[in-house]
Amino acid sequence: MHLTAVVAHPDDADIFCGGTLAKHADRGDDVTIVYMTRGEYGGSDTTEEKLAATREAEAEAAAEALGANALFLGFEDGRVTYSLENRLELVEVLRRLDPDAVLTHFRDDMHPDHRTTSRLVTDAYYMCSLPLLETEADPCEPSNVYYFGKPTSSFEPEIHIDISEYQSTKQKAILEHESQVEWLEEHGGIDTEFDGLIEGVRAEARVLGRTRGVEFAEGFVALHKGADDYLG
C-alpha cells in the first residue's frame, strides 16, 4: 500500500498528520511526503535560498524520522497559485507515485498556500484517473483524499486515527524543523497556537484522542464519505 501526503511547506506534514504517516510506515506501507515549496519565507536574517536549503534538509530528516520519503516540487513559498499548468503538474506527480490514498490540507485555512494546495490536489486527484489525459506516467486511481487542518468552524474531523504509539515519533519529527520551531514560537503572529508548538500539538492530539477513547489521535475529513477508509 502507498500513502502520499501533499503539503505546502516543509513542516506541515509533521504537525498535521505526522502520527498517521509514521503509523502507516511502521505497518509496512510506502509513505511519501510531497512538499509544494521549500518554505523560503519562513524566517528572517538570511536569504531565501539559504533558508530554503536549511528547511529542505530539516524536512528530509523529519521524513526519515517518520519512515517516509521526501519529494520537493519547487513551487514558491507564499506564492502557490491555482492554474491548469500547476494542476497538471500535480496530476503527473500523483500518477508517478500511484498512491492508494492522498492526504492534504483542508480547503478552509488561513494560509493561502494551504488553501491553494488543497484545491490543486483535489482537482488533480479527479483528473489523474482520466485515460485520455496524457502525461508521462499512466493514469491511476487513488481511493480517496483525506483532509487535515486546524480546528475551525468548518473543519470538524470525521475520522480519528489513533496515534498513541506514534505521538513521540511525531514530536521528534517536528523537532527536526529546528529553524521553524524557534521561528514559529517567536513570530507566530496571528497563529497564536504556535506559542509552545510541541505542547500545543500534543494538547490537540490529546483532545482528539478523547473522541475515540485513546490517548492521542489525529483528525481527518474524507472527500468520499461512502468509501472504505484506508486510514487506520
Side-chain angles (χ1 to χ4, degrees), residues 2-15:
H2 187 175
L3 180 64
T4 292
V6 184
V7 297
H9 308 106
D11 54 350
D12 288 336
D14 313 287
I15 291 172

PDB file of all heavy atoms in Angstrom, residues 2-15:
ATOM      1  N   HIS A   2       0.377   2.310  -0.583  1.00  0.00           N
ATOM      2  CA  HIS A   2       1.161   3.537  -0.718  1.00  0.00           C
ATOM      3  C   HIS A   2       0.310   4.720  -0.283  1.00  0.00           C
ATOM      4  O   HIS A   2      -0.778   4.940  -0.810  1.00  0.00           O
ATOM      5  CB  HIS A   2       1.626   3.727  -2.158  1.00  0.00           C
ATOM      6  CG  HIS A   2       2.572   4.874  -2.337  1.00  0.00           C
ATOM      7  ND1 HIS A   2       3.177   5.159  -3.533  1.00  0.00           N
ATOM      8  CD2 HIS A   2       3.018   5.826  -1.480  1.00  0.00           C
ATOM      9  CE1 HIS A   2       3.946   6.229  -3.403  1.00  0.00           C
ATOM     10  NE2 HIS A   2       3.870   6.644  -2.157  1.00  0.00           N
ATOM     11  N   LEU A   3       0.805   5.484   0.675  1.00  0.00           N
ATOM     12  CA  LEU A   3       0.138   6.679   1.171  1.00  0.00           C
ATOM     13  C   LEU A   3       0.980   7.896   0.821  1.00  0.00           C
ATOM     14  O   LEU A   3       2.183   7.917   1.088  1.00  0.00           O
ATOM     15  CB  LEU A   3      -0.039   6.584   2.686  1.00  0.00           C
ATOM     16  CG  LEU A   3      -0.734   7.757   3.374  1.00  0.00           C
ATOM     17  CD1 LEU A   3      -2.173   7.899   2.899  1.00  0.00           C
ATOM     18  CD2 LEU A   3      -0.686   7.579   4.890  1.00  0.00           C
ATOM     19  N   THR A   4       0.344   8.912   0.210  1.00  0.00           N
ATOM     20  CA  THR A   4       1.042  10.139  -0.167  1.00  0.00           C
ATOM     21  C   THR A   4       0.404  11.328   0.532  1.00  0.00           C
ATOM     22  O   THR A   4      -0.820  11.490   0.501  1.00  0.00           O
ATOM     23  CB  THR A   4       0.992  10.365  -1.683  1.00  0.00           C
ATOM     24  OG1 THR A   4       1.782   9.362  -2.341  1.00  0.00           O
ATOM     25  CG2 THR A   4       1.553  11.731  -2.057  1.00  0.00           C
ATOM     26  N   ALA A   5       1.222  12.161   1.165  1.00  0.00           N
ATOM     27  CA  ALA A   5       0.762  13.428   1.732  1.00  0.00           C
ATOM     28  C   ALA A   5       1.332  14.560   0.888  1.00  0.00           C
ATOM     29  O   ALA A   5       2.536  14.593   0.630  1.00  0.00           O
ATOM     30  CB  ALA A   5       1.222  13.569   3.178  1.00  0.00           C
ATOM     31  N   VAL A   6       0.467  15.463   0.436  1.00  0.00           N
ATOM     32  CA  VAL A   6       0.906  16.630  -0.330  1.00  0.00           C
ATOM     33  C   VAL A   6       0.691  17.859   0.542  1.00  0.00           C
ATOM     34  O   VAL A   6      -0.450  18.187   0.900  1.00  0.00           O
ATOM     35  CB  VAL A   6       0.128  16.781  -1.644  1.00  0.00           C
ATOM     36  CG1 VAL A   6       0.682  17.962  -2.453  1.00  0.00           C
ATOM     37  CG2 VAL A   6       0.187  15.499  -2.466  1.00  0.00           C
ATOM     38  N   VAL A   7       1.790  18.515   0.898  1.00  0.00           N
ATOM     39  CA  VAL A   7       1.720  19.643   1.831  1.00  0.00           C
ATOM     40  C   VAL A   7       2.377  20.871   1.222  1.00  0.00           C
ATOM     41  O   VAL A   7       3.232  20.776   0.340  1.00  0.00           O
ATOM     42  CB  VAL A   7       2.390  19.294   3.174  1.00  0.00           C
ATOM     43  CG1 VAL A   7       1.643  18.142   3.855  1.00  0.00           C
ATOM     44  CG2 VAL A   7       3.862  18.937   2.986  1.00  0.00           C
ATOM     45  N   ALA A   8       1.992  22.030   1.730  1.00  0.00           N
ATOM     46  CA  ALA A   8       2.501  23.283   1.181  1.00  0.00           C
ATOM     47  C   ALA A   8       3.924  23.588   1.631  1.00  0.00           C
ATOM     48  O   ALA A   8       4.731  24.102   0.852  1.00  0.00           O
ATOM     49  CB  ALA A   8       1.571  24.431   1.573  1.00  0.00           C
ATOM     50  N   HIS A   9       4.247  23.245   2.879  1.00  0.00           N
ATOM     51  CA  HIS A   9       5.517  23.678   3.469  1.00  0.00           C
ATOM     52  C   HIS A   9       6.221  22.516   4.183  1.00  0.00           C
ATOM     53  O   HIS A   9       5.579  21.526   4.553  1.00  0.00           O
ATOM     54  CB  HIS A   9       5.264  24.817   4.464  1.00  0.00           C
ATOM     55  CG  HIS A   9       4.465  25.939   3.888  1.00  0.00           C
ATOM     56  ND1 HIS A   9       3.141  26.142   4.220  1.00  0.00           N
ATOM     57  CD2 HIS A   9       4.793  26.883   2.976  1.00  0.00           C
ATOM     58  CE1 HIS A   9       2.683  27.185   3.544  1.00  0.00           C
ATOM     59  NE2 HIS A   9       3.659  27.650   2.778  1.00  0.00           N
ATOM     60  N   PRO A  10       7.522  22.640   4.409  1.00  0.00           N
ATOM     61  CA  PRO A  10       8.310  21.524   4.929  1.00  0.00           C
ATOM     62  C   PRO A  10       7.872  20.949   6.267  1.00  0.00           C
ATOM     63  O   PRO A  10       8.156  19.791   6.551  1.00  0.00           O
ATOM     64  CB  PRO A  10       9.720  22.124   5.019  1.00  0.00           C
ATOM     65  CG  PRO A  10       9.763  23.127   3.919  1.00  0.00           C
ATOM     66  CD  PRO A  10       8.394  23.752   3.924  1.00  0.00           C
ATOM     67  N   ASP A  11       7.225  21.742   7.129  1.00  0.00           N
ATOM     68  CA  ASP A  11       6.838  21.220   8.442  1.00  0.00           C
ATOM     69  C   ASP A  11       5.378  20.820   8.538  1.00  0.00           C
ATOM     70  O   ASP A  11       4.937  20.293   9.567  1.00  0.00           O
ATOM     71  CB  ASP A  11       7.166  22.238   9.545  1.00  0.00           C
ATOM     72  CG  ASP A  11       6.559  23.606   9.271  1.00  0.00           C
ATOM     73  OD1 ASP A  11       6.053  23.827   8.150  1.00  0.00           O
ATOM     74  OD2 ASP A  11       6.603  24.462  10.173  1.00  0.00           O
ATOM     75  N   ASP A  12       4.589  21.038   7.494  1.00  0.00           N
ATOM     76  CA  ASP A  12       3.144  20.816   7.582  1.00  0.00           C
ATOM     77  C   ASP A  12       2.779  19.359   7.839  1.00  0.00           C
ATOM     78  O   ASP A  12       1.888  19.069   8.645  1.00  0.00           O
ATOM     79  CB  ASP A  12       2.450  21.284   6.292  1.00  0.00           C
ATOM     80  CG  ASP A  12       2.417  22.791   6.145  1.00  0.00           C
ATOM     81  OD1 ASP A  12       2.493  23.489   7.171  1.00  0.00           O
ATOM     82  OD2 ASP A  12       2.317  23.277   4.993  1.00  0.00           O
ATOM     83  N   ALA A  13       3.437  18.436   7.173  1.00  0.00           N
ATOM     84  CA  ALA A  13       3.073  17.026   7.326  1.00  0.00           C
ATOM     85  C   ALA A  13       3.299  16.567   8.759  1.00  0.00           C
ATOM     86  O   ALA A  13       2.477  15.849   9.338  1.00  0.00           O
ATOM     87  CB  ALA A  13       3.882  16.164   6.363  1.00  0.00           C
ATOM     88  N   ASP A  14       4.410  16.964   9.351  1.00  0.00           N
ATOM     89  CA  ASP A  14       4.747  16.521  10.699  1.00  0.00           C
ATOM     90  C   ASP A  14       3.759  17.064  11.718  1.00  0.00           C
ATOM     91  O   ASP A  14       3.318  16.345  12.619  1.00  0.00           O
ATOM     92  CB  ASP A  14       6.170  16.965  11.043  1.00  0.00           C
ATOM     93  CG  ASP A  14       7.131  16.656   9.925  1.00  0.00           C
ATOM     94  OD1 ASP A  14       7.451  15.473   9.754  1.00  0.00           O
ATOM     95  OD2 ASP A  14       7.522  17.582   9.201  1.00  0.00           O
ATOM     96  N   ILE A  15       3.372  18.334  11.560  1.00  0.00           N
ATOM     97  CA  ILE A  15       2.463  18.971  12.502  1.00  0.00           C
ATOM     98  C   ILE A  15       1.050  18.406  12.381  1.00  0.00           C
ATOM     99  O   ILE A  15       0.397  18.099  13.383  1.00  0.00           O
ATOM    100  CB  ILE A  15       2.449  20.500  12.293  1.00  0.00           C
ATOM    101  CG1 ILE A  15       3.802  21.105  12.714  1.00  0.00           C
ATOM    102  CG2 ILE A  15       1.307  21.151  13.077  1.00  0.00           C
ATOM    103  CD1 ILE A  15       3.954  22.577  12.372  1.00  0.00           C
TER     104      ILE A  15
END
